[in-house]
Amino acid sequence: MINKIVTALLLLAALCNPVAAETTIVFATDATWPPMEFVNDQKQVVGYAMDFMTAAGKEAGFVPVFKNTAWDGIFAGLAANKYDAIVSSVTITEQRKKAMDFSDPYFTVRQALIVPKSSSAKSLAELKGQKVGGQIGTTGYFAIKAVEGVEAKSYDEVGLAMEDLNVGRIAAVVCDDPVAANYALDKYKQNLKIAAIIESGDAEDYGVAVHKGNSKVLELVNKGIAAVKAKGLDKELKKKWIGQ
């Protein structure tokens, strides 16, 4: 009898509690990309993207859960339905849109060239015959490979590329500008600098990737993104994580 009463009370609480009716969305993220997504000293996955999606969830009625996932398998995992979505500084491209659906953009970046402070290079073209590092499978790495004569060196994590640059193993690194600022203007500010926004400096939009045809998750995420922007919460998060 007691068990039946407890069960009834729990059911009543669930019906009365709106949070219980919210949808949980599992987001994969490669938490090696500060300040957008990374693991802090308490081993928690944190960053701009985490705060943005948490705020979006409150606005749209979903609970985000973040699953730290290596970049080299993150898209395959989405295709295999191992999680609902990816929020991991994924640039929206026409090629990627063939394999997955994307939310509305939630952040805009440009590719930055990071070099030692002693370097006079202002473009990738000036680094022909030298090694330039980037995280494999990213738009930064693709930008390196597009320049003839420059040797593209791939890394599983952008932080490893920055470490090699800091000790002189490579000539430069290319990555998204907020990440470049985190390393060149903070962690390695004594040795590194941002030389330029590379080549044309075309802006790139980050979007949340979802499994092709998953309209339910896409609609919830888009609803949350729109609300966060409408309330100016994204500007507050930029000040917190990026200083803009």
Side-chain angles (χ1 to χ4, degrees):
M1 181 59 125
I2 292 177
N3 288 338
K4 289 183 178 180
I5 293 174
V6 171
T7 301
L9 289 173
L10 289 173
L11 179 60
L12 180 62
L15 292 172
C16 295
N17 185 358
V19 175
E22 290 180 326
T23 299
T24 296
I25 299 179
V26 179
F27 292 89
T29 186
D30 175 25
T32 63
W33 205 244
M36 304 306 293
E37 48 267 336
F38 63 102
V39 177
N40 66 11
D41 293 339
Q42 288 74 49
K43 307 301 181 185
Q44 301 167 319
V45 176
V46 298
Y48 177 90
M50 282 64 254
D51 280 3
F52 192 108
M53 285 304 141
T54 298
K58 289 179 180 178
E59 296 296 329
F62 66 83
V63 178
V65 174
F66 304 106
K67 182 178 181 180
N68 199 356
T69 306
W71 180 261
D72 62 0
I74 203 166
F75 296 118
L78 181 65
N81 289 310
K82 291 183 178 180
Y83 25 81
D84 303 306
I86 300 172
V87 59
S88 193
S89 300
V90 180
T91 298
I92 302 170
T93 67
E94 292 304 314
Q95 186 65 30
R96 287 172 175 164
K97 284 163 69 174
K98 295 176 182 178
M100 62 200 82
D101 289 334
F102 278 96
S103 71
D104 296 330
Y106 67 88
F107 197 85
T108 300
V109 300
R110 297 176 187 273
Q111 292 302 313
L113 177 67
I114 306 95
V115 299
K117 284 192 171 181
S118 59
S119 174
S120 61
K122 295 294 183 182
S123 70
L124 274 171
E126 295 176 56
L127 297 171
K128 290 182 179 179
Q130 300 183 65
K131 294 179 180 179
V132 178
Q135 183 168 337
I136 191 168
T138 63
T139 48
Y141 181 67
F142 298 148
I144 302 166
K145 288 183 68 67
V147 179
E148 186 177 352
V150 174
E151 184 179 346
K153 183 173 174 56
S154 65
Y155 294 84
D156 290 336
E157 299 177 11
V158 71
L160 299 176
M162 293 293 183
E163 288 176 14
D164 270 5
L165 177 60
N166 189 53
V167 298
R169 294 192 185 102
I170 56 178
V173 170
V174 174
C175 67
D176 298 350
D177 56 356
V179 179
N182 179 267
Y183 284 101
L185 305 180
D186 187 6
K187 187 172 182 178
Y188 297 127
K189 63 182 179 182
Q190 300 302 320
N191 300 325
L192 305 182
K193 64 180 179 181
I194 296 176
I197 300 299
I198 65 168
E199 274 68 56
S200 63
D202 291 338
E204 301 175 8
D205 289 323
Y206 287 165
V208 174
V210 303
H211 194 277
K212 203 76 173 170
N214 192 343
S215 59
K216 179 182 178 181
V217 168
L218 194 62
E219 289 172 6
L220 279 172
V221 170
N222 278 336
K223 180 180 178 181
I225 290 173
V228 168
K229 290 182 175 181
K231 291 188 175 182
L233 300 177
D234 56 330
K235 294 181 176 64
E236 294 177 14
L237 295 178
K238 283 182 181 178
K239 288 180 182 179
K240 174 183 176 181
W241 289 105
I242 305 166
Q244 295 180 355

